[in-house]
Amino acid sequence: MLELLKFEYYRLKKNPLFWIILALCVVAPLFVGIIVRVLATMIEKGGADISDLDLSKANIKWITWFASSYFYVRLPLIMAIFTPLFIGRDYKDGIIRNKIIAGHTRLQIFATSIIVQCSVVFVFSVVYFVFGIIGMFITPFGPNINGGEMFIRAFILLISLCATVILITALSLTIKNRVLALVIAVVFVSTFNFFGTFASSYSYTPNMVDDYLDLYEDTLEKYEVYYNWDNSDIEDMIPAKSSFLGIPYYIGHPIYVLTNATMGSELIPSFSQAALLNDEIIPSYSNKVSREDAFKGNIIRAIFMDDFGSYMIDESDIRKMDGIVLPIEQVELTYTIKSIVWASIYAFCGYGIFRKKNLF
């Protein structure tokens, strides 16, 4: 097996696409730092002082995490292209057949491919993360990695990425047509992101819906005199529980519970990040994850229903509901377990097919 690994890493070293992606992992985060530096310079030339932004340490941590982790959203798609193209040559050039003839077992071939592809995503991730931190030195703020805790979050994301790569590798080894394998992998990654967004709208439980509707009613009653409502008006404005627990819920909630599709929306920051407990223009690096927008951001209800009353509810009251706000450690542990379980499923099922496949 050691010989197989040496051979695969030699092929990897000769692969131009690998070096192009690696170069992007260096340039992209540095570019973010340069852009922030340019914006700061423009602010100063305009007569303002960068200190006027009054950024806290938590804000700097968030910017550091944003610059260092944003690539994780794009990396699965990159691997969905790279892995099938790289492994696909094994069938095209007869490499797998030669490995079998040379006496290597199918398990060794399968395991070697997974090890190599996971090490590729590891290199991409580490390089991007490190240069994200380096890029922060270009900015006026400098990096803040929260005493090293940020490395743990990055490692959690890496485990999830490895699970995805194992699936893509299994597809590439079980489908001889590398174009077909590439298309399936890209479609999977793309739809996975879509279902992650969809499922994040249904992270609540039936008990949480009851609590939310009680809060909904209490909020409307606060405005009863101001809007001259009566009890019948308030009853008509309160949504039915079934509008929260319809067919979309019974599709989206299992996806939320059973998979890590929603990890991107909860752990990878963006400027529209709903999970961060901060309403400032530049959010704070949070130690908690909030799912409050699952009610207001419910996709189906937002499209088809006039939910006027929800905009009156104070978000701080929603956060007091049981299960809405969770410590980041609990969320990270949950995603880690899911990633390991799915990585095992992908590897086991992939090998089961590969073991019986006609490789000649």
Side-chain angles (χ1 to χ4, degrees):
M1 188 168 173
L2 183 59
E3 292 179 1
L4 285 177
L5 286 172
K6 290 180 179 178
F7 174 72
E8 291 299 319
Y9 283 123
Y10 175 79
R11 288 180 59 210
L12 189 64
K13 187 174 68 172
K14 298 294 184 180
N15 188 286
L17 183 57
F18 170 79
W19 293 106
I20 291 172
I21 298 172
L22 189 62
L24 288 174
C25 293
V26 173
V27 173
L30 292 179
F31 181 74
V32 173
I34 292 171
I35 290 297
V36 173
R37 176 74 265 181
V38 169
L39 291 175
T41 302
M42 292 174 63
I43 291 174
E44 292 170 351
K45 285 186 177 180
D49 194 314
I50 195 67
S51 61
D52 292 340
L53 292 176
D54 195 28
L55 296 180
S56 65
K57 289 184 178 179
N59 295 141
I60 304 302
K61 292 175 187 177
W62 186 89
I63 297 174
T64 304
W65 180 234
F66 177 83
S68 302
S69 68
Y70 187 69
F71 184 63
Y72 283 91
V73 181
R74 308 288 179 260
L75 193 50
L77 183 58
I78 290 175
M79 295 305 297
I81 297 172
F82 175 81
T83 300
L85 292 178
F86 183 84
I87 294 179
R89 293 201 65 87
D90 288 2
Y91 284 113
K92 181 181 178 181
D93 298 342
I95 295 175
I96 287 186
R97 179 184 59 198
N98 293 336
K99 290 176 180 177
I100 294 291
I101 294 173
H104 299 291
T105 66
R106 295 189 182 218
L107 179 59
Q108 289 174 333
I109 296 171
F110 189 84
T112 299
S113 296
I114 285 180
I115 292 171
V116 171
Q117 293 304 310
C118 285
S119 64
V120 167
V121 81
F122 175 82
V123 170
F124 289 161
S125 301
V126 170
V127 170
Y128 189 93
F129 190 85
V130 169
F131 276 90
I133 295 174
I134 293 174
M136 285 297 296
F137 283 103
I138 302 174
T139 71
F141 322 116
N144 188 326
I145 58 174
N146 197 28
E149 180 271 343
M150 204 170 287
F151 293 115
I152 297 176
R153 297 196 188 188
F155 183 69
I156 302 300
L157 298 180
L158 178 59
I159 294 174
S160 176
L161 282 173
C162 286
T164 303
V165 168
I166 289 173
L167 171 63
I168 297 171
T169 303
L171 285 172
S172 302
L173 285 169
T174 54
I175 301 175
K176 288 186 177 181
N177 189 322
R178 63 176 177 170
V179 175
L180 179 60
L182 185 150
V183 170
I184 293 175
V186 169
V187 169
F188 172 81
V189 170
S190 301
T191 55
F192 195 74
N193 291 335
F194 166 77
F195 279 108
T197 302
F198 177 78
S200 63
S201 296
Y202 300 98
S203 57
Y204 48 78
T205 63
N207 288 338
M208 292 163 67
V209 174
D210 289 331
D211 293 341
Y212 179 73
L213 293 179
D214 289 340
L215 176 60
Y216 202 112
E217 182 176 5
D218 293 341
T219 301
L220 292 179
E221 289 176 352
K222 291 180 183 178
Y223 293 91
E224 183 176 2
V225 176
Y226 180 81
Y227 286 103
N228 196 28
W229 292 330
D230 56 32
N231 289 336
S232 61
D233 293 326
I234 293 177
E235 289 179 3
D236 291 339
M237 293 177 66
I238 299 174
K241 185 176 181 179
S242 59
S243 67
F244 291 93
L245 301 175
I247 293 176
Y249 173 82
Y250 290 108
I251 297 174
H253 191 68
I255 295 173
Y256 169 78
V257 172
L258 298 175
T259 76
N260 57 6
T262 54
M263 186 181 70
S265 63
E266 294 192 329
L267 293 185
I268 302 175
S270 68
F271 283 106
S272 61
Q273 176 68 355
L276 294 170
L277 300 179
N278 197 287
D279 298 324
E280 299 176 3
I281 296 176
I282 299 180
S284 296
Y285 185 76
S286 179
N287 291 319
K288 297 179 181 179
V289 170
S290 172
R291 290 158 179 167
E292 64 202 64
D293 274 16
F295 295 101
K296 295 183 179 180
N298 185 303
I299 295 175
I300 302 300
R301 300 186 76 252
I303 295 175
F304 296 105
M305 301 187 68
D306 180 13
D307 198 6
F308 174 73
S310 68
Y311 298 100
M312 297 181 175
I313 300 176
D314 193 323
E315 292 183 356
S316 62
D317 290 332
I318 298 179
R319 293 170 192 160
K320 294 175 183 177
M321 294 167 49
D322 290 339
I324 293 293
V325 177
L326 300 175
I328 192 71
E329 294 82 7
Q330 180 178 339
V331 176
E332 289 174 337
L333 178 61
T334 300
Y335 282 125
T336 300
I337 293 173
K338 289 179 182 178
S339 297
I340 293 173
V341 169
W342 280 106
S344 302
I345 293 172
Y346 295 148
F348 179 80
C349 294
Y351 177 67
I353 298 173
F354 182 75
R355 185 171 61 90
K356 298 181 179 180
K357 186 175 180 62
N358 179 12
L359 302 178
F360 295 90

